[in-house]
Amino acid sequence: MDIGVYGNLPLPTVEDLKGDDLNTRFYTAFVNFGTFIVIFNSLSLITGKLNYWNGKDSLKEKEYLENDVKQKPGPQRKMRLLDEFVLVLMRLHLGLLEQDLAQLKELQTSRSSAEDDEAERG
């Protein structure tokens, strides 16, 4: 017998947290929304130049890391960085699994590059 509650639970957006220090503290562990924004703004200065580890090739020079004008190659983000930051903080603070957040936000969890290559080949 399968007993359970099903449905989409809305996750808070950044706009929901703005001005709500109690929920900001609950979801992100930051004392208030202002602190959350200060930390995000500090981190956002370097997020465009993140270099994810991808084996030995990760050590090679990359033009987009040196050139402020050029965008990082690959698909564009599906979410705003601010929303991604909230999800990461929720995952860390609330102990949520990637799959939990993906189902709640209706996102696809990341797969390994080998799985992506296989999916593209058919």
Side-chain angles (χ1 to χ4, degrees), residues 23-42:
N23 274 330
T24 298
R25 187 176 307 124
F26 176 77
Y27 288 109
T28 69
F30 285 116
V31 170
N32 55 41
F33 188 76
T35 304
F36 166 80
I37 290 298
V38 166
I39 299 299
F40 172 77
N41 287 338
S42 298

Side-chain angles (χ1 to χ4, degrees), residues 3-70:
I3 298 174
V5 176
Y6 298 96
N8 285 340
L9 300 174
L11 287 177
T13 64
V14 173
E15 290 75 21
D16 294 333
L17 297 179
K18 187 175 185 177
D20 189 345
D21 292 342
L22 188 63
N23 274 330
T24 298
R25 187 176 307 124
F26 176 77
Y27 288 109
T28 69
F30 285 116
V31 170
N32 55 41
F33 188 76
T35 304
F36 166 80
I37 290 298
V38 166
I39 299 299
F40 172 77
N41 287 338
S42 298
L43 293 172
S44 68
L45 297 173
I46 60 167
T47 56
K49 294 192 178 246
L50 285 176
N51 185 17
Y52 296 98
W53 183 255
N54 207 14
K56 285 192 329 186
D57 289 342
S58 299
L59 299 174
K60 292 180 181 174
E61 298 281 331
K62 294 182 177 59
E63 189 176 329
Y64 72 89
L65 290 174
E66 297 171 13
N67 185 348
D68 288 336
V69 178
K70 197 160 175 110

